[in-house]
Amino acid sequence: GAGVSQSPSNKVTEKGKDVELRCDPISGHTALYWYRQSLGQGLEFLIYFQGNSAPDKSGLPSDRFSAERTGGSVSTLTIQRTQQEDSAVYLCASSLGGVDTQYFGPGTRLTVL
Amino acid sequence: AQKITQTQPGMFVQEKEAVTLDCTYDTSDPSYGLFWYKQPSSGEMIFLIYQGSYDQQNATEGRYSLNFQKARKSANLVISASQLGDSAMYFCAMREGLDTGNQFYFGTGTSLTVIP
């Protein structure tokens, strides 16, 4: 079956513009996670969804960041008024539930000029 | 305190030799899971191995094994018979609790280079 997919794979934008990043989880996976990875760094947790609800938004860096998930499937991470420090790879992962492993997508590389 | 600590920023190993990547964790939750991921230069995170806190035996997956020492709160990854394709970043991660969606904590990673 298909793995986690993310689009676009690369996004270059100008400072101040809004961007939307999309994640398609593995079919049937109820939990979905967003992470950010800056160059040469580890993973920074942003937000997770259980179904369509987001019990934990504590990792969102600022109110410019928001995310939603519809139909218990696709999720969109939106960054408004992008800043240069938002440049990073944004990774999405999904898991089946319980003690299950997270499976990652290939990421979206965001560059803010 | 850091939830996951990886103290080796970079490691080198000769091809066909074994290598151990260190990971220590910090939690007061009796139920947790420990994971190792590989991230090659392509950027994708690849799941390698999982160890549950109640598992009695060390996890093994092919050439990967997890040296789980619960009392010391360590979960070192052992790669046997290293191959050139093993060169990558390796991340240790922990999930606390057993509920779906509990946050994963990742270490800062270890860069492994396999030398021919």
Side-chain angles (χ1 to χ4, degrees):
Chain A
V4 178
S5 62
Q6 292 185 246
S7 61
S9 55
N10 280 284
K11 177 72 176 178
V12 180
T13 190
E14 293 179 347
K15 178 181 173 181
K17 301 284 189 182
D18 298 351
V19 296
E20 282 190 355
L21 313 179
R22 177 187 169 106
C23 173
D24 279 280
I26 293 172
S27 177
H29 280 195
T30 59
L32 185 147
Y33 305 76
W34 283 99
Y35 295 90
R36 179 168 71 174
Q37 186 177 29
S38 300
L39 187 63
Q41 301 297 311
L43 273 68
E44 175 189 4
F45 168 78
L46 297 179
I47 189 171
Y48 90 83
F49 290 89
Q50 176 54 43
N52 290 336
S53 64
D56 187 352
K57 301 180 181 179
S58 63
L60 294 176
S62 75
D63 58 8
R64 297 186 294 105
F65 287 72
S66 63
E68 65 175 14
R69 189 180 185 193
T70 56
S73 182
V74 172
S75 176
T76 302
L77 176 69
T78 301
I79 309 173
Q80 296 178 309
R81 304 181 303 281
T82 52
Q83 303 294 312
Q84 289 182 332
E85 59 263 29
D86 299 334
S87 296
V89 175
Y90 289 81
L91 290 163
C92 174
S94 69
S95 72
L96 187 58
V99 298
D100 205 55
T101 301
Q102 291 186 6
Y103 293 91
F104 283 80
T108 293
R109 182 175 297 279
L110 175 66
T111 303
V112 182
L113 301 177
Chain B
Q2 292 290 328
K3 289 284 188 180
I4 294 287
T5 302
Q6 294 180 255
T7 57
Q8 306 155 313
M11 290 281 288
F12 293 85
V13 63
Q14 202 74 37
E15 193 178 7
K16 301 180 184 177
E17 297 291 314
V19 63
T20 298
L21 307 183
D22 294 342
C23 173
T24 57
Y25 59 92
D26 181 30
T27 182
S28 57
D29 195 322
S31 302
Y32 53 90
L34 297 159
F35 304 78
W36 277 93
Y37 287 87
K38 172 184 178 181
Q39 188 177 43
S41 56
S42 60
E44 190 160 357
M45 294 284 282
I46 302 167
F47 165 70
L48 295 178
I49 196 166
Y50 165 80
Q51 179 87 43
S53 59
Y54 297 116
D55 293 344
Q56 295 296 313
Q57 293 188 320
N58 287 345
T60 61
E61 288 287 346
R63 295 186 298 109
Y64 304 108
S65 61
L66 200 152
N67 184 0
F68 182 44
Q69 298 187 41
K70 196 169 184 177
R72 297 180 59 185
K73 293 188 175 180
S74 75
N76 299 340
L77 176 71
V78 180
I79 306 174
S80 62
S82 298
Q83 302 172 356
L84 296 179
D86 294 334
S87 294
M89 283 291 291
Y90 289 81
F91 291 95
C92 179
M94 175 178 68
R95 187 210 60 248
E96 291 176 313
L98 294 175
D99 295 332
T100 300
N102 282 0
Q103 182 181 152
F104 271 51
Y105 300 93
F106 282 81
T108 51
T110 295
S111 176
L112 177 67
T113 302
V114 180
I115 304 166

